Each structure stands twice: as C-alpha cells, then as structure tokens.
Amino acid sequence: MTRPSIERLTVGQEMEPIAIIDDFAPDPDRLRDYAAGADFFPDDLYYPGVKAALPPDYFSAVQTAIASAMVDVFGMTKGADVVRASYSIVTTPRDQLTIEQRLPHVDSLEPGRMAIVHYLSQNDHDGTAFYRHRSTGFETLDQERSAAYFASLNDELRCHGSPPPAYICGDTPLFEMTGKVDGKFNRAVIYRGRVLHSGAISAGSRLSASPREGRLTIASFLTAE
C-alpha cells in the first residue's frame, strides 16, 4: 500500500496555502464501488449536481493524512471536526447553471472552516481552481470583506450582464485565476473555506451522472484550529 504524499502549494498575492495529497485513501477502488451502488440526489441549491452518502468508515481511513496536512500545511494542531461530507458528481448542463454557479465562491466566511475535495474519477481530470476578484483584489472573504465584495460584484453584473452559461475555468473579465489543482485519481486537495474557488470543469466534460463515468468526488467540510 502506497503511503499518502503531501505537497504544499501557495496561491495568489494573499499567499493562501493549499494542501495536495496524492494516494489519499488506502482503497479508492472500494470507494468507487460503494458509490456505484449509492443513491444520488440533488440536495444543495448551490452545488451543480447530485450527492450521496459516504461509507461510515471513510474518515477513519483518511484521518491520519488529514491530520498531517492540517499541522504541516495550515499549522492547525487542535484537531478537526467534520461538518458535512458526501459523494458529489457535477451533472448540471451549462445552459441550466444559475448565475452563482458560473462564478467563483467561498464555502464559509467563518475562520477555521476547511474544505477537502477527494477526486475519484479515473477518466475525468477536472480539478479545482482559485481566483482573485479583479476590482476589489480579494482572493479570500471574511465578515469584514463580504459586504464590499458583494456590492462590487453586484454592480459589475448589473453593468456588464450575467456571465456566459458555462462553468468558470480560467480568467474572465471579473476574475483572475491564481492557481489550479488538476484532478487525479485518489488525490485530495485541502483549502480554507474562505478562498474564492470553483470546480475547474472543462468545456468538453460530459457531465455524466454515472459514478463510474462522471466527475466523482468526495466533498468534505470541516472546522479546525
């Protein structure tokens, strides 16, 4: 069994750390098999796809790798608690995306919130990209920044119209990509929930709902100190 390897990436002018862990789970094929028999449903207004419940022992198998990344990359030494986690597959056609789904987003404004994306597709290498909002210069949001950010963004959308019906994947007139992590089978990326980011869904992606053929990931949200 190959041990997980952890790489530290720094993105943007705000120098946000990102953890990339290859060989994240000890048995990723079992996770794919479990997903193939799971029931997927839309259950999130913001996520452009479907989700399903995880095997109950998922975190026991990956907790050592997560703990190492939290300490070595983020300097968090007091442990982490899972807020929510699920299998996820991007399925929404481009012409059905909401405006919010065509833009980068943050997962939380609260300090200590962390996100993990565990890539489990063997055929789809779409990853995760990180962004800077050009007009404010913000790459992360918190309670203090959020009002100015959303006021600026809403003004831009009123003046220039909605973004095109597509997943954001690269620079746009409103946002500059500061970094990207490619999807790779059994790779996980960990980042702070405050970072502006989006799934890097390429224009040619099939958006299959099949766990065997689609962009299968496990998305987890944690609190850590």
Side-chain angles (χ1 to χ4, degrees):
M1 182 174 63
T2 305
R3 296 182 63 183
S5 62
I6 302 174
E7 175 187 356
R8 186 183 194 274
L9 174 70
T10 302
V11 297
Q13 296 175 355
E14 296 185 26
M15 303 293 289
E16 271 292 320
I18 308 293
I20 303 170
I21 310 177
D22 286 324
D23 301 306
F24 182 60
D27 193 353
D29 291 317
R30 186 180 73 87
L31 293 172
R32 284 177 54 83
D33 291 342
Y34 191 96
D39 294 322
F40 282 80
F41 300 98
D43 73 344
D44 189 321
L45 290 175
Y46 297 103
Y47 183 73
V50 292
K51 297 185 177 184
L54 297 178
D57 61 347
Y58 173 70
F59 282 100
S60 64
V62 298
Q63 64 181 358
T64 299
I66 293 174
S68 296
M70 290 297 181
V71 173
D72 297 342
V73 177
F74 301 99
M76 295 178 167
T77 60
K78 295 184 179 179
D81 296 315
V82 178
V83 177
R84 64 184 188 277
S86 63
Y87 285 113
S88 303
I89 306 176
V90 173
T91 59
T92 303
R94 291 158 181 83
D95 61 355
Q96 295 180 25
L97 293 171
T98 65
I99 293 176
E100 291 82 2
Q101 291 168 340
R102 305 175 202 172
L103 298 167
H105 64 280
V106 298
D107 296 320
S108 176
L109 300 177
E110 302 301 322
R113 289 295 182 95
M114 307 296 295
I116 306 175
V117 181
H118 182 191
Y119 307 106
L120 287 171
S121 172
Q122 293 177 329
N123 305 311
D124 188 323
H125 302 291
D126 286 346
T128 302
F130 303 93
Y131 290 91
R132 175 187 303 115
H133 182 227
R134 294 182 188 273
S135 64
T136 62
F138 295 160
E139 299 168 357
T140 62
L141 298 183
D142 57 18
Q143 294 288 356
E144 293 183 359
R145 287 182 168 187
S146 62
Y149 169 76
F150 287 111
S152 177
L153 179 61
N154 288 333
D155 284 345
E156 291 170 327
L157 295 175
R158 280 192 293 268
C159 291
H160 304 294
S162 302
Y167 291 95
I168 184 171
C169 190
D171 293 346
T172 74
L174 302 186
F175 292 92
E176 177 185 357
M177 190 171 74
T178 59
K180 179 184 174 186
V181 176
D182 291 332
K184 178 182 177 182
F185 180 58
N186 203 25
R187 167 179 285 176
V189 57
I190 307 179
Y191 50 90
R192 298 182 194 271
R194 68 189 184 188
V195 183
L196 283 165
H197 67 280
S198 179
I201 312 301
S202 56
S205 296
R206 290 182 53 204
L207 306 180
S208 171
S210 166
R212 296 289 190 194
E213 299 177 8
R215 184 184 184 267
L216 178 65
T217 64
I218 293 175
S220 307
F221 302 94
L222 294 75
T223 58
E225 294 184 73

